[in-house]
Amino acid sequence: MTATIAKSGDFFNPHVAIPENFTGVFDIEYIHLNANFLPFKTMLQYIMNADSYNVSIIIENTIGNALVFLPLGIFLPLLFSKCHSLLKVSITVTIIILVIESLQLLLCFGQFDVDDIILGTIGSSIGFFCFLFFRRIKNEITAIRRIEKEL
């Protein structure tokens, strides 16, 4: 199986491998080269072969994927009253990330990695717990101010 880097006109993406006899995005060889459907495969590769990777790549691909979606865990419950549970936020964010990952593969823009979905969902969950923490602080301050007014 030989592959080249994606080139299309002025488009150049070093993160997409195009098989020699590329027939389209549904080409099994293309999917095999550009998709990871095994949970924790990429993360385990980083752990097992840490000396083969630049530390910044490991940090960007793990912590970065979690941090990018952390704000969704905060803003979804703020913006949508139906997203006031961890389960609803997690399902919503998982669907959003699944769409993003699928579009990367379908548009030859990047690679599909189920680990990105896992890390993004973890990041949004952390964001949701931050939302709960800040909401509790706000409620405590409001209660204290109410008590002070009564006195």
Side-chain angles (χ1 to χ4, degrees):
M1 180 177 351
T2 54
T4 59
I5 294 172
K7 292 180 183 176
S8 173
D10 292 333
F11 174 76
F12 174 76
N13 189 343
H15 304 292
V16 177
I18 303 295
E20 201 170 278
N21 298 319
F22 182 59
T23 58
V25 294
F26 297 107
D27 184 328
I28 297 297
E29 211 173 324
Y30 168 76
I31 293 171
H32 177 73
L33 289 169
N34 295 291
N36 168 37
F37 299 105
L38 296 172
F40 307 107
K41 178 182 175 187
T42 304
M43 289 185 267
L44 286 174
Q45 277 182 330
Y46 289 150
I47 293 168
M48 303 302 274
N49 303 314
D51 54 335
S52 301
Y53 293 99
N54 187 334
V55 175
S56 66
I57 290 174
I58 295 172
I59 291 170
E60 286 174 19
N61 287 335
T62 53
I63 296 172
N65 274 318
L67 288 178
V68 164
F69 292 98
L70 188 140
L72 276 178
I74 296 170
F75 290 114
L76 281 174
L78 282 174
L79 298 173
F80 303 102
S81 60
K82 291 185 179 185
C83 281
H84 273 240
S85 75
L86 178 60
L87 181 63
K88 289 180 181 179
V89 168
S90 295
I91 289 171
T92 303
V93 170
T94 300
I95 291 169
I96 291 168
I97 301 170
L98 180 62
V99 168
I100 292 168
E101 289 292 316
S102 298
L103 284 173
Q104 286 184 112
L105 189 64
L106 291 172
L107 299 174
C108 298
F109 185 71
Q111 297 186 334
F112 179 98
D113 194 341
V114 71
D115 288 356
D116 292 350
I117 298 170
I118 294 167
L119 290 166
T121 304
I122 289 169
S124 68
S125 298
I126 293 168
F128 181 75
F129 289 119
C130 291
F131 162 77
L132 292 177
F133 175 75
F134 291 125
R135 185 175 70 178
R136 182 170 180 159
I137 289 174
K138 177 191 164 264
N139 291 342
E140 293 291 328
I141 291 171
T142 304
I144 291 169
R145 286 185 180 158
R146 195 174 322 125
I147 292 169
E148 286 175 347
K149 282 183 180 179
E150 292 174 2
L151 295 176

